[in-house]
Structure formats: C-alpha cells, structure tokens
Amino acid sequence: MLQLHDTATGRVAPLRLREPGKASVYVCGLTVDGEPHLGHGRMALVFDVLRRYLLFSGLDVTYVSNITDIDDKIIVGAAAAGVPIDEFTAVNEARWWEIVDALGVLRPDEVPHATAYVDRMVALVGDLVARGVAYETATGVYLSVLDVPGYGLLARQPLESLRAGARIEADEDKRSPLDFVLWKKAKPGEPSWVAPWGAGRPGWHTECVVMSLDLLGEGFELHGGGQDLMFPHHENERAQAVADDKEFARHWMHNGWVTVGGEKMSKSLGNYTSLGDLLERGDARAYRLLVLRSHYRSPIEVTPDTVAQAEAGLARLDELARRFDLPDPLADGPLTGTADTDVDSGAVAAFVARMDDDLDTAGALATIFDLARRANAAADAGDTRDASLAAGTASVLAAVLGLPLRGRDDGGLDATTAGLVAARDAARAARDWARADALRAELEASGWLVEDGADGTRVRRR
Ligand SMILES: [Zn+2]
C-alpha cells in the first residue's frame, strides 16, 4: 500500500481512498504565459510517475490538471506580443503539450481551462460573500482568512509569522494583509466577465478549488503541485473550500525545487532555463531519469554534469535493451500490473517496497540497475535463463516509471534522419568522403551519435 508524505500533516501516511480501487488526483497545471521551464517539467514528471505507479498498483485513476488561461502575466504578455489573449494562450498551451508528449508524460484525463469556469467561480464567490467570510472593496472581493479555521495548515506556519511575511499591498481596504482576492475588478481595457460586483475576472486561487471539486467531487484523494504552490495558492484554495463547508483534498503532495547553479530556478534570478532547450539538446528520457534519481521532495540540480550522469545511466539501460533485444513494455499504454509478464517476483517486490515508501524512486532505480548488472553478469557466465529474466524485469520496472528502454537504434527513425543515413551510406559507397563527413556533421547537429557499422551508418540519440 502506497504511503505518501502529506503536506497538511507533515507525516508519511497511507493514501486514504474514498472508495476502494479508485483514486482521483488534481495537479495544478500551467499558466500559459510563456515558454515552460525546468520546474514545470519536473512537476509534470513527478506526478506522471505517481499516476503510473497508482495505475500499476491496480487503481482506477482519474487525473485532472488545469490550464490557467487568464491572469495578469497573460494580459501583459499578449499585449507585448501584440496578439489577442486567446491566440497568445493557444500558442503557449500547444507548446506545453508538445513538451509533455516529448517527456513521455501521459496527458490528463481532463484539462479544465479557467475561462470555461468563470460562471461557477462567480457562484462560489457569491456563496462566500453570503456566508460573511468574503467582502467587497473598491478593487475587488477578498476572503477574510482570519474567519477560516486552520488557515496556515499547508504553509506549516502559524498565522502570526505568515502575517509578518505578507507583503504590504496597495489595497488598504483589505482587513488583513493575508486576505486574498477572489474577484478582481477590471481596469479599462482589461478582459472581463460580468459579476454582481462589477465587471472583472476571478483570482487565481479560486479557479482550482472550483474546477477540482466540480470534476472530482468532495473529498477527492490527492491535490498536488510544485512546492512553490503550497503557500499561498494551495492554502488559499483550501481556505475557500473550508469557508464554503466543503470537504476538500484528503492528501497534499508537493515536489521540490529545481536548482540551477545552486540557486532556486526562477525568472527573476536570471537562471531561468527553458525546458524546450534541454529537450532539444538531448534525449528527453534523460531528464526523467535525472528527476527519478532524487526523492521528489528534495531539490534537484540541473547542470551539464547531472544531465551527463543521467545520460550515462540511460545509455547503460539502453545497452541492456539492445543486448537482450527487449520489447517496449509501454507499446500498449501504461502498465497496470505484472500478471501476464515473466518477471522476477523478488525484484518486483523490492521495487514495490521502495515505491510504496513515499515514492522512493532513487531506491526503485537502484533495483533496476542491480537487475541490469545481474543480467549482464549472467549472460557473460552463460546463464541465459536468468539473464533474460533479469533483463526483462528491469525493462518492465523502468516502464512502470514511464521510462521505455530503446533496444534498436534504427527503429522509428524520422523520415529526415532516415534520409540522411541513407544518403551517407550512398556517399560512403561512392567513396565521397567529404560528403559523408558533411552528412555526419548534419546528423550530429540534430542530436545523433553516428557510428560506422559493418552494415552501414548507425545512429543513436545522444
Ligand atoms: Zn491551482
């Protein structure tokens, strides 16, 4: 049974299911205001691994992750780009799904968009005003957090220190600096929706509480996101649910920072690294492996060194798949168990024990690398039965983590690459070495390692 750290209690505890066999997960998705960064990629990977592991454990999983398609940064970004807001967000969202697919992250079952839920958000804000826990000012409608029992639960800090840390904001009508906006009254020229408090738009914290409860119902199992969302975003989502007398998420899960050069990655620090750049430079599976090597709650460091270490690990696993000509266990979708597979049950049990312990992916990976060593040693010693059992089990367990091993380098080459390979073989056959070298350089520039084999040019992903 999976034991997970719960941010609300600070303890590792079993995931409590509403009904046996089913788990509903809501993960805060992207605000589509620009190019996704490494932190977004880690979030998507961490929760993809959780989702795949729940599926592997035999649960029926409903996974919802939203798109925030209206907020201040979007309004500013669209204006700067000189395009309508819906066009700006559509382009950025398309880019996000391209990256999600490249990372091998399963698409959510549902992707609610904030702009499609405004009427339901207006209804919630109206409820909160009617209950006397929200109030209107000249600039908007705010939630009075001092009226919400347990405020500060997810921040894991007492109200006093939160209050001391709260920024002094321009709106002096707020009763407490911690009170947050539920409805923002529109300034001239801003996009707006109709509401009893005048034209405006919902605050960010209101969208996720409305969409998660609408799609998953009260008491859904798990709400997650990056650690930066614990406070104020998730605290404030929870506050609205509590104030509206709704049972909210049973379990809160947050993944750690991505650091670049030892500092938390952020645009303001100037160490913002585009996820797209990383993926274009190398094999997207290496970033998944890099993420898996650390516990999801720990920070991870992305540097040329840590990327190279992940690539070396991946190369060892791919080499295993090549040696044993292993099939892709993910060809028919995510794994839902090992019932029909020939696997080493002892190794699977060791893997499950690691994963059940708060998703110890580093320990689970160690099980996979042990199997790879065992397979190679057994094959070297002529024990083909144990070698193929260990190799096959390693491949299946890697697939549980969403990491397909690539056994055959020439399988699935895109048309352009296949064309370059064929052209280079033709050039070599014609002893046109200058052209063969130029084609090699072209392949390498597209991220391929080029080798000359007996049967011609071989390429594999760097
Ligand atoms: Zn959210």
Side-chain angles (χ1 to χ4, degrees):
M1 178 69 198
L2 176 61
Q3 309 264 329
L4 267 182
H5 180 267
D6 179 12
T7 310
T9 61
R11 285 196 298 271
V12 175
L15 186 63
R16 289 166 298 132
L17 304 180
R18 251 183 318 192
E19 64 180 291
K22 290 188 176 176
S24 296
V25 176
Y26 185 95
V27 176
C28 289
L30 226 63
T31 298
V32 282
D33 61 353
E35 181 73 14
H37 59 61
L38 295 174
H40 297 133
R42 184 183 193 191
M43 172 275 290
L45 286 165
V46 162
F47 288 97
D48 185 61
V49 170
L50 167 75
R51 180 182 183 185
R52 287 176 183 274
Y53 188 64
L54 293 174
L55 289 168
F56 177 71
S57 306
L59 293 175
D60 178 0
V61 182
T62 304
Y63 188 95
V64 177
S65 190
N66 67 303
I67 290 287
T68 298
D69 57 354
I70 182 69
D71 90 330
D72 295 350
K73 283 175 292 181
I74 288 173
I75 295 171
V76 171
V83 294
I85 286 178
D86 53 356
E87 193 180 315
F88 181 73
T89 54
V91 167
N92 287 324
E93 182 178 345
R95 175 67 177 146
W96 171 238
W97 296 122
E98 203 180 290
I99 283 177
V100 162
D101 293 345
L103 285 169
V105 166
L106 300 169
R107 296 252 188 136
D109 296 310
E110 302 259 12
V111 182
H113 287 64
T115 52
Y117 277 79
V118 175
D119 52 345
R120 276 162 279 192
M121 295 187 227
V122 168
L124 171 64
V125 177
D127 274 356
L128 295 173
V129 170
R131 285 172 184 271
V133 289
Y135 57 92
E136 187 180 351
T137 74
T139 57
V141 179
Y142 291 84
L143 191 81
S144 171
V145 305
L146 299 180
D147 291 322
V148 179
Y151 192 79
L153 183 80
L154 294 169
R156 312 287 304 153
Q157 285 181 51
L159 214 47
E160 266 320 304
S161 64
L162 286 178
R163 203 169 356 199
R167 235 167 352 118
I168 309 296
E169 290 183 28
D171 189 348
E172 288 171 359
D173 294 343
K174 282 193 345 183
R175 293 179 192 164
S176 156
L178 286 174
D179 291 354
F180 61 90
V181 72
L182 303 171
W183 187 259
K184 283 186 186 189
K185 293 183 182 175
K187 298 188 188 104
E190 284 183 347
S192 63
W193 287 262
V194 176
W197 321 281
R201 63 183 185 277
W204 176 38
H205 309 311
T206 301
E207 75 180 70
C208 289
V209 65
V210 167
M211 297 190 294
S212 60
L213 287 171
D214 187 71
L215 290 166
L216 299 175
E218 284 192 56
F220 64 92
E221 279 77 10
L222 187 138
H223 196 321
Q227 190 180 315
D228 51 331
L229 299 187
M230 267 160 53
F231 184 86
H233 184 53
H234 286 166
E235 187 78 55
N236 289 350
E237 278 188 46
R238 184 185 163 278
Q240 292 166 87
V242 170
D244 201 40
D245 214 11
K246 295 270 188 341
E247 194 195 342
F248 205 38
R250 294 170 169 230
H251 211 102
W252 291 87
M253 174 172 161
H254 294 96
N255 66 270
W257 307 120
V258 174
T259 63
V260 177
E263 285 185 276
K264 183 196 142 199
M265 193 199 56
S266 77
K267 283 183 186 175
S268 55
L269 284 172
N271 55 6
Y272 174 88
T273 305
S274 145
L275 182 57
D277 286 352
L278 180 79
L279 300 184
E280 271 154 33
R281 278 201 295 268
D283 189 325
R285 294 174 305 150
Y287 191 45
R288 182 180 288 260
L289 190 63
L290 194 160
V291 165
L292 289 168
R293 285 162 69 107
S294 297
H295 192 269
Y296 72 87
R297 285 190 280 127
S298 305
I300 59 168
E301 177 85 6
V302 179
T303 64
D305 276 355
T306 59
V307 172
Q309 283 163 19
E311 284 173 341
L314 189 60
R316 289 216 299 285
L317 294 176
D318 280 350
E319 188 55 48
L320 183 82
R322 242 188 317 276
R323 182 171 186 179
F324 294 92
D325 198 24
L326 299 172
D328 177 6
L330 293 175
D332 298 324
L335 301 186
T336 53
T338 56
D340 303 323
T341 326
D342 189 18
V343 287
D344 181 325
S345 55
V348 173
F351 172 91
V352 165
R354 293 323 324 138
M355 291 297 284
D356 276 350
D357 182 11
D358 196 21
L359 299 176
D360 173 11
T361 52
L365 272 184
T367 311
I368 294 169
F369 281 102
D370 282 348
L371 283 164
R373 271 188 291 276
R374 181 178 125 196
N376 284 320
D380 293 344
D383 184 351
T384 52
R385 164 79 193 123
D386 190 55
S388 67
L389 181 67
T393 307
S395 169
V396 166
L397 295 181
V400 174
L401 302 175
L403 193 67
L405 309 186
R406 292 216 185 106
R408 296 189 197 101
D409 302 327
D410 53 355
L413 284 189
D414 60 275
T416 309
T417 307
L420 291 171
V421 166
R424 184 164 184 275
D425 284 343
R428 277 165 54 84
R431 300 185 160 265
D432 182 351
W433 308 123
R435 172 139 176 82
D437 285 348
L439 288 162
R440 167 194 283 272
E442 200 172 331
L443 283 162
E444 286 174 347
S446 316
W448 296 97
L449 281 176
V450 181
E451 290 162 2
D452 294 323
D455 48 353
T457 300
R458 286 187 195 156
V459 293
R460 60 189 165 92
R461 271 284 171 207
R462 233 188 294 145

